[in-house]
């Protein structure tokens, strides 16, 4: 007999980074040459306590304008300690 009331899921930093690597670089594409283009390079995460830090390089191109920016976003990770203690 299997009780399927609760499911435990563990996602590692390495698993997410391998997934992002598999997806590869993100680029917008349009048929018009003068439309802006966005490129996201080297997306990856680092886990730190209750946070996931997301890093990437973003390039914006339009005509003669090229902007490069390093991105760092902090994503909060929440979990229910009551459910974890039952496991």
């Amino acid at each position: 007999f299997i009780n399927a009331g609760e499911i435990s899921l563990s996602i590692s930093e390495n698993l997410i980074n391998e997934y992002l690597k598999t997806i590869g670089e993100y680029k917008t594409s349009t048929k018009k040459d003068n439309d802006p283009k966005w490129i996201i390079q080297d997306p990856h995460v680092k886990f730190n306590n209750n946070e996931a830090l997301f890093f990437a390089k973003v390039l914006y191109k339009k005509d003669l304008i090229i902007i490069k920016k390093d991105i760092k976003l902090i994503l909060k990770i929440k979990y229910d300690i009551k459910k974890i203690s039952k496991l």
Side-chain angles (χ1 to χ4, degrees):
F1 179 70
I2 297 175
N3 183 359
E6 293 188 30
I7 296 173
S8 176
L9 176 64
S10 177
I11 300 175
S12 72
E13 180 179 308
N14 188 45
L15 177 67
I16 293 173
N17 286 325
E18 286 298 317
Y19 173 75
L20 292 171
K21 194 184 301 180
T22 301
I23 292 173
E25 198 173 83
Y26 171 81
K27 296 181 184 180
T28 59
S29 63
T30 61
K31 295 180 181 179
K32 297 179 184 177
D33 286 338
N34 64 345
D35 283 350
K37 294 185 170 95
W38 291 91
I39 302 170
I40 300 174
Q41 299 174 321
D42 190 29
H44 60 282
V45 296
K46 278 188 141 273
F47 288 172
N48 184 19
N49 295 327
N50 295 335
E51 297 176 339
L53 304 174
F54 175 80
F55 300 92
K57 293 180 192 302
V58 176
L59 279 75
Y60 171 85
K61 296 180 182 181
K62 178 160 174 57
D63 301 326
L64 298 175
I65 299 170
I66 298 175
I67 300 171
K68 297 178 184 180
K69 179 121 175 126
D70 288 330
I71 302 296
K72 177 183 175 184
L73 295 173
I74 299 173
L75 306 171
K76 297 290 183 187
I77 299 172
K78 289 185 180 184
Y79 57 91
D80 188 340
I81 194 69
K82 292 176 188 173
K83 288 185 179 182
I84 292 173
S85 62
K86 290 180 185 178
L87 298 176

